[in-house]
Amino acid sequence: MKGKQLGVSAIVAFVIVAFVLYQLDFFDRFKKSTTTEEELTRDVIKNNIEANSESPDKEKIVLKMLDSIDYFKDLQGEVEEYDKKYDQKTTYKFAVDVVNKRGIATTFTNNTPEDTIVILRKEDKKIMYDEKKHTYKTYKLLEDTKNEEISKQSATERLISDNRMDDDFGRVARNVVHSELSLLLKDFDSWNYSEATFSGIPSYKLTGVIDEKVSNSLAGKFEMIVTKNSGLVLDFKSYDENNTVKYYIKTRNIKIDRGLDKNSFYKEVSKYKKEK
């Protein structure tokens, strides 16, 4: 009986304390502290935008990276990607036709073809080929991701909200067109650039430090090559604390606006079984 009385007393005490805290505006103060944190985040973003606005030259470089499809008609080549963590090299051979809105890329792991993706925007479809099983599947493309309203935003605003255009081509030309590596450049004060030439192509060489808050896996010193005229990423290296490359992408046989054979975007499906 005594235990029940203690239980009832505890419940009554809890109710009284909760009521007093409520009257003292305790819960409202908690809500306000949360709101203040959100406001602080907005202030940081605002300050970042204002600070970056003082570097219009860097703004132009990043904007061109974000809108690279506006600066070339066709592109072909291959890109090799390496991650020291997994000790694996992956190669992507690709072609992009901006005018006719189509693209193709085959992924190779250790020189063995894994899969092929074909984008046919005018036909509103994407075809995925499994090169090992020799099967393929056709998908309906989502609505075109290009949004003209996005182009009115500053480079920093777009980097913060991850706003890029025509992402179909970004998936085909991995980290070359609309490279996700552009997201590492949010803080203009963390990097600098100089003029360079890469495979005979006029470019910029970007060097700086990636904060672990921006990317934990790529934190540290980096180098990046971006084409002057089209904002394409042709080379990237991220270094660990021992100044050893821990991640890289490098391109080969890059051809810009050389013209493409339309047959490059079609595969002979008789060798593949269609999946439902």
mmCIF file of all heavy atoms in Angstrom, residues 58-86:
data_model
loop_
_atom_site.group_PDB
_atom_site.id
_atom_site.type_symbol
_atom_site.label_atom_id
_atom_site.label_comp_id
_atom_site.label_asym_id
_atom_site.label_seq_id
_atom_site.Cartn_x
_atom_site.Cartn_y
_atom_site.Cartn_z
ATOM 1 N N LYS A 58 36.493 33.720 -59.385
ATOM 2 C CA LYS A 58 36.240 32.353 -58.940
ATOM 3 C C LYS A 58 34.773 31.979 -59.178
ATOM 4 O O LYS A 58 34.453 30.832 -59.495
ATOM 5 C CB LYS A 58 36.593 32.192 -57.460
ATOM 6 C CG LYS A 58 38.076 32.322 -57.166
ATOM 7 C CD LYS A 58 38.384 32.099 -55.690
ATOM 8 C CE LYS A 58 39.888 32.203 -55.415
ATOM 9 N NZ LYS A 58 40.207 31.978 -53.985
ATOM 10 N N GLU A 59 33.906 32.964 -59.026
ATOM 11 C CA GLU A 59 32.482 32.748 -59.283
ATOM 12 C C GLU A 59 32.274 32.280 -60.725
ATOM 13 O O GLU A 59 31.523 31.341 -60.996
ATOM 14 C CB GLU A 59 31.721 34.056 -59.050
ATOM 15 C CG GLU A 59 30.263 34.046 -59.503
ATOM 16 C CD GLU A 59 29.284 33.739 -58.394
ATOM 17 O OE1 GLU A 59 29.707 33.570 -57.249
ATOM 18 O OE2 GLU A 59 28.086 33.657 -58.696
ATOM 19 N N LYS A 60 32.971 32.903 -61.669
ATOM 20 C CA LYS A 60 32.834 32.532 -63.083
ATOM 21 C C LYS A 60 33.319 31.111 -63.337
ATOM 22 O O LYS A 60 32.710 30.357 -64.107
ATOM 23 C CB LYS A 60 33.613 33.521 -63.959
ATOM 24 C CG LYS A 60 32.996 34.908 -64.027
ATOM 25 C CD LYS A 60 33.835 35.837 -64.887
ATOM 26 C CE LYS A 60 33.228 37.235 -64.936
ATOM 27 N NZ LYS A 60 34.065 38.169 -65.745
ATOM 28 N N ILE A 61 34.409 30.717 -62.685
ATOM 29 C CA ILE A 61 34.950 29.368 -62.862
ATOM 30 C C ILE A 61 33.949 28.334 -62.374
ATOM 31 O O ILE A 61 33.648 27.342 -63.066
ATOM 32 C CB ILE A 61 36.288 29.213 -62.099
ATOM 33 C CG1 ILE A 61 37.366 30.070 -62.745
ATOM 34 C CG2 ILE A 61 36.725 27.750 -62.076
ATOM 35 C CD1 ILE A 61 38.671 30.113 -61.963
ATOM 36 N N VAL A 62 33.406 28.545 -61.184
ATOM 37 C CA VAL A 62 32.464 27.577 -60.596
ATOM 38 C C VAL A 62 31.162 27.526 -61.390
ATOM 39 O O VAL A 62 30.613 26.451 -61.640
ATOM 40 C CB VAL A 62 32.185 27.919 -59.120
ATOM 41 C CG1 VAL A 62 31.134 26.974 -58.548
ATOM 42 C CG2 VAL A 62 33.463 27.815 -58.299
ATOM 43 N N LEU A 63 30.657 28.696 -61.819
ATOM 44 C CA LEU A 63 29.425 28.712 -62.611
ATOM 45 C C LEU A 63 29.592 27.951 -63.918
ATOM 46 O O LEU A 63 28.689 27.240 -64.359
ATOM 47 C CB LEU A 63 28.990 30.154 -62.903
ATOM 48 C CG LEU A 63 28.266 30.890 -61.777
ATOM 49 C CD1 LEU A 63 28.008 32.336 -62.169
ATOM 50 C CD2 LEU A 63 26.952 30.200 -61.415
ATOM 51 N N LYS A 64 30.762 28.096 -64.523
ATOM 52 C CA LYS A 64 31.006 27.381 -65.777
ATOM 53 C C LYS A 64 31.054 25.876 -65.529
ATOM 54 O O LYS A 64 30.598 25.076 -66.357
ATOM 55 C CB LYS A 64 32.302 27.868 -66.427
ATOM 56 C CG LYS A 64 32.485 27.403 -67.858
ATOM 57 C CD LYS A 64 33.475 28.279 -68.616
ATOM 58 C CE LYS A 64 32.869 29.598 -69.035
ATOM 59 N NZ LYS A 64 33.744 30.364 -69.972
ATOM 60 N N MET A 65 31.576 25.466 -64.385
ATOM 61 C CA MET A 65 31.579 24.048 -64.027
ATOM 62 C C MET A 65 30.144 23.535 -63.855
ATOM 63 O O MET A 65 29.797 22.434 -64.290
ATOM 64 C CB MET A 65 32.355 23.823 -62.722
ATOM 65 C CG MET A 65 33.848 24.051 -62.831
ATOM 66 S SD MET A 65 34.670 23.966 -61.215
ATOM 67 C CE MET A 65 34.444 22.217 -60.823
ATOM 68 N N LEU A 66 29.320 24.345 -63.212
ATOM 69 C CA LEU A 66 27.929 23.939 -62.941
ATOM 70 C C LEU A 66 27.089 23.890 -64.210
ATOM 71 O O LEU A 66 26.140 23.110 -64.308
ATOM 72 C CB LEU A 66 27.298 24.908 -61.936
ATOM 73 C CG LEU A 66 27.875 24.874 -60.515
ATOM 74 C CD1 LEU A 66 27.321 26.027 -59.688
ATOM 75 C CD2 LEU A 66 27.564 23.549 -59.842
ATOM 76 N N ASP A 67 27.431 24.733 -65.184
ATOM 77 C CA ASP A 67 26.644 24.823 -66.418
ATOM 78 C C ASP A 67 27.465 24.415 -67.637
ATOM 79 O O ASP A 67 27.297 24.956 -68.728
ATOM 80 C CB ASP A 67 26.131 26.251 -66.616
ATOM 81 C CG ASP A 67 25.195 26.680 -65.510
ATOM 82 O OD1 ASP A 67 24.524 25.811 -64.935
ATOM 83 O OD2 ASP A 67 25.138 27.886 -65.216
ATOM 84 N N SER A 68 28.340 23.448 -67.470
ATOM 85 C CA SER A 68 29.282 23.101 -68.535
ATOM 86 C C SER A 68 28.611 22.708 -69.849
ATOM 87 O O SER A 68 29.167 22.939 -70.922
ATOM 88 C CB SER A 68 30.219 21.983 -68.071
ATOM 89 O OG SER A 68 29.489 20.871 -67.600
ATOM 90 N N ILE A 69 27.410 22.128 -69.797
ATOM 91 C CA ILE A 69 26.761 21.718 -71.045
ATOM 92 C C ILE A 69 26.399 22.891 -71.943
ATOM 93 O O ILE A 69 26.102 22.711 -73.128
ATOM 94 C CB ILE A 69 25.486 20.889 -70.801
ATOM 95 C CG1 ILE A 69 24.516 21.677 -69.947
ATOM 96 C CG2 ILE A 69 25.807 19.548 -70.199
ATOM 97 C CD1 ILE A 69 23.103 21.182 -70.075
ATOM 98 N N ASP A 70 26.415 24.100 -71.373
ATOM 99 C CA ASP A 70 26.131 25.278 -72.187
ATOM 100 C C ASP A 70 27.354 25.727 -72.990
ATOM 101 O O ASP A 70 27.258 26.645 -73.802
ATOM 102 C CB ASP A 70 25.676 26.448 -71.298
ATOM 103 C CG ASP A 70 24.305 26.209 -70.688
ATOM 104 O OD1 ASP A 70 23.542 25.413 -71.267
ATOM 105 O OD2 ASP A 70 24.011 26.805 -69.643
ATOM 106 N N TYR A 71 28.502 25.072 -72.771
ATOM 107 C CA TYR A 71 29.743 25.545 -73.364
ATOM 108 C C TYR A 71 30.418 24.543 -74.290
ATOM 109 O O TYR A 71 31.555 24.753 -74.700
ATOM 110 C CB TYR A 71 30.706 25.962 -72.253
ATOM 111 C CG TYR A 71 30.151 27.076 -71.392
ATOM 112 C CD1 TYR A 71 29.567 26.794 -70.164
ATOM 113 C CD2 TYR A 71 30.166 28.401 -71.825
ATOM 114 C CE1 TYR A 71 29.030 27.802 -69.370
ATOM 115 C CE2 TYR A 71 29.641 29.420 -71.051
ATOM 116 C CZ TYR A 71 29.070 29.108 -69.823
ATOM 117 O OH TYR A 71 28.535 30.108 -69.050
ATOM 118 N N PHE A 72 29.746 23.442 -74.600
ATOM 119 C CA PHE A 72 30.271 22.525 -75.619
ATOM 120 C C PHE A 72 29.105 21.806 -76.295
ATOM 121 O O PHE A 72 27.994 21.737 -75.748
ATOM 122 C CB PHE A 72 31.262 21.517 -75.013
ATOM 123 C CG PHE A 72 30.634 20.469 -74.124
ATOM 124 C CD1 PHE A 72 30.211 19.259 -74.647
ATOM 125 C CD2 PHE A 72 30.477 20.691 -72.764
ATOM 126 C CE1 PHE A 72 29.644 18.282 -73.839
ATOM 127 C CE2 PHE A 72 29.922 19.733 -71.941
ATOM 128 C CZ PHE A 72 29.497 18.527 -72.483
ATOM 129 N N LYS A 73 29.357 21.278 -77.485
ATOM 130 C CA LYS A 73 28.316 20.575 -78.239
ATOM 131 C C LYS A 73 28.433 19.062 -78.100
ATOM 132 O O LYS A 73 27.419 18.357 -78.032
ATOM 133 C CB LYS A 73 28.382 20.974 -79.713
ATOM 134 C CG LYS A 73 28.079 22.447 -79.972
ATOM 135 C CD LYS A 73 28.203 22.772 -81.456
ATOM 136 C CE LYS A 73 27.903 24.245 -81.710
ATOM 137 N NZ LYS A 73 28.053 24.593 -83.156
ATOM 138 N N ASP A 74 29.663 18.574 -78.118
ATOM 139 C CA ASP A 74 29.857 17.129 -77.952
ATOM 140 C C ASP A 74 31.184 16.865 -77.258
ATOM 141 O O ASP A 74 32.097 17.687 -77.285
ATOM 142 C CB ASP A 74 29.773 16.392 -79.292
ATOM 143 C CG ASP A 74 30.770 16.909 -80.309
ATOM 144 O OD1 ASP A 74 31.973 16.636 -80.139
ATOM 145 O OD2 ASP A 74 30.362 17.585 -81.277
ATOM 146 N N LEU A 75 31.247 15.703 -76.639
ATOM 147 C CA LEU A 75 32.408 15.357 -75.829
ATOM 148 C C LEU A 75 32.568 13.844 -75.799
ATOM 149 O O LEU A 75 31.578 13.113 -75.708
ATOM 150 C CB LEU A 75 32.202 15.880 -74.406
ATOM 151 C CG LEU A 75 33.205 15.460 -73.328
ATOM 152 C CD1 LEU A 75 34.535 16.159 -73.561
ATOM 153 C CD2 LEU A 75 32.661 15.798 -71.946
ATOM 154 N N GLN A 76 33.809 13.395 -75.888
ATOM 155 C CA GLN A 76 34.069 11.967 -75.748
ATOM 156 C C GLN A 76 35.442 11.748 -75.127
ATOM 157 O O GLN A 76 36.317 12.612 -75.194
ATOM 158 C CB GLN A 76 33.981 11.251 -77.089
ATOM 159 C CG GLN A 76 34.966 11.714 -78.136
ATOM 160 C CD GLN A 76 34.781 10.971 -79.460
ATOM 161 O OE1 GLN A 76 34.628 9.755 -79.466
ATOM 162 N NE2 GLN A 76 34.784 11.702 -80.563
ATOM 163 N N GLY A 77 35.604 10.601 -74.497
ATOM 164 C CA GLY A 77 36.870 10.279 -73.859
ATOM 165 C C GLY A 77 36.667 9.226 -72.796
ATOM 166 O O GLY A 77 35.686 8.472 -72.813
ATOM 167 N N GLU A 78 37.591 9.163 -71.871
ATOM 168 C CA GLU A 78 37.458 8.229 -70.762
ATOM 169 C C GLU A 78 38.041 8.846 -69.501
ATOM 170 O O GLU A 78 38.897 9.737 -69.565
ATOM 171 C CB GLU A 78 38.148 6.907 -71.075
ATOM 172 C CG GLU A 78 39.622 6.993 -71.416
ATOM 173 C CD GLU A 78 40.183 5.640 -71.843
ATOM 174 O OE1 GLU A 78 40.075 5.308 -73.043
ATOM 175 O OE2 GLU A 78 40.723 4.933 -70.980
ATOM 176 N N VAL A 79 37.541 8.400 -68.383
ATOM 177 C CA VAL A 79 38.011 8.898 -67.097
ATOM 178 C C VAL A 79 38.299 7.712 -66.184
ATOM 179 O O VAL A 79 37.520 6.764 -66.121
ATOM 180 C CB VAL A 79 36.987 9.863 -66.447
ATOM 181 C CG1 VAL A 79 35.630 9.204 -66.286
ATOM 182 C CG2 VAL A 79 37.493 10.362 -65.095
ATOM 183 N N GLU A 80 39.438 7.775 -65.525
ATOM 184 C CA GLU A 80 39.820 6.728 -64.575
ATOM 185 C C GLU A 80 39.655 7.280 -63.161
ATOM 186 O O GLU A 80 40.083 8.398 -62.863
ATOM 187 C CB GLU A 80 41.272 6.308 -64.797
ATOM 188 C CG GLU A 80 41.759 5.230 -63.827
ATOM 189 C CD GLU A 80 43.207 4.842 -64.091
ATOM 190 O OE1 GLU A 80 43.448 4.141 -65.100
ATOM 191 O OE2 GLU A 80 44.093 5.267 -63.314
ATOM 192 N N GLU A 81 39.043 6.492 -62.312
ATOM 193 C CA GLU A 81 38.804 6.894 -60.929
ATOM 194 C C GLU A 81 39.492 5.890 -59.999
ATOM 195 O O GLU A 81 39.382 4.679 -60.191
ATOM 196 C CB GLU A 81 37.300 6.924 -60.657
ATOM 197 C CG GLU A 81 36.920 7.342 -59.250
ATOM 198 C CD GLU A 81 35.414 7.361 -59.053
ATOM 199 O OE1 GLU A 81 34.726 6.497 -59.635
ATOM 200 O OE2 GLU A 81 34.912 8.224 -58.316
ATOM 201 N N TYR A 82 40.186 6.417 -58.992
ATOM 202 C CA TYR A 82 40.885 5.533 -58.048
ATOM 203 C C TYR A 82 40.647 6.008 -56.619
ATOM 204 O O TYR A 82 40.737 7.209 -56.327
ATOM 205 C CB TYR A 82 42.391 5.514 -58.318
ATOM 206 C CG TYR A 82 43.172 4.764 -57.258
ATOM 207 C CD1 TYR A 82 43.166 3.367 -57.226
ATOM 208 C CD2 TYR A 82 43.908 5.453 -56.283
ATOM 209 C CE1 TYR A 82 43.879 2.676 -56.249
ATOM 210 C CE2 TYR A 82 44.622 4.763 -55.315
ATOM 211 C CZ TYR A 82 44.598 3.384 -55.295
ATOM 212 O OH TYR A 82 45.288 2.698 -54.315
ATOM 213 N N ASP A 83 40.327 5.057 -55.750
ATOM 214 C CA ASP A 83 40.131 5.340 -54.331
ATOM 215 C C ASP A 83 41.065 4.433 -53.541
ATOM 216 O O ASP A 83 40.916 3.203 -53.560
ATOM 217 C CB ASP A 83 38.672 5.091 -53.936
ATOM 218 C CG ASP A 83 38.340 5.660 -52.564
ATOM 219 O OD1 ASP A 83 39.240 5.673 -51.699
ATOM 220 O OD2 ASP A 83 37.198 6.082 -52.335
ATOM 221 N N LYS A 84 42.022 5.039 -52.867
ATOM 222 C CA LYS A 84 43.014 4.264 -52.112
ATOM 223 C C LYS A 84 42.352 3.407 -51.037
ATOM 224 O O LYS A 84 42.826 2.308 -50.719
ATOM 225 C CB LYS A 84 44.024 5.218 -51.469
ATOM 226 C CG LYS A 84 45.160 4.523 -50.738
ATOM 227 C CD LYS A 84 46.123 5.543 -50.134
ATOM 228 C CE LYS A 84 47.231 4.856 -49.361
ATOM 229 N NZ LYS A 84 48.135 5.859 -48.710
ATOM 230 N N LYS A 85 41.261 3.887 -50.472
ATOM 231 C CA LYS A 85 40.568 3.169 -49.409
ATOM 232 C C LYS A 85 40.156 1.770 -49.855
ATOM 233 O O LYS A 85 40.210 0.800 -49.096
ATOM 234 C CB LYS A 85 39.336 3.959 -48.958
ATOM 235 C CG LYS A 85 38.560 3.323 -47.816
ATOM 236 C CD LYS A 85 37.404 4.211 -47.400
ATOM 237 C CE LYS A 85 36.612 3.571 -46.268
ATOM 238 N NZ LYS A 85 35.473 4.430 -45.854
ATOM 239 N N TYR A 86 39.704 1.676 -51.109
ATOM 240 C CA TYR A 86 39.266 0.382 -51.640
ATOM 241 C C TYR A 86 40.292 -0.237 -52.579
ATOM 242 O O TYR A 86 40.108 -1.363 -53.047
ATOM 243 C CB TYR A 86 37.934 0.562 -52.384
ATOM 244 C CG TYR A 86 36.859 1.163 -51.525
ATOM 245 C CD1 TYR A 86 36.512 2.508 -51.659
ATOM 246 C CD2 TYR A 86 36.203 0.411 -50.555
ATOM 247 C CE1 TYR A 86 35.533 3.088 -50.854
ATOM 248 C CE2 TYR A 86 35.227 0.981 -49.746
ATOM 249 C CZ TYR A 86 34.901 2.318 -49.907
ATOM 250 O OH TYR A 86 33.939 2.881 -49.109
#
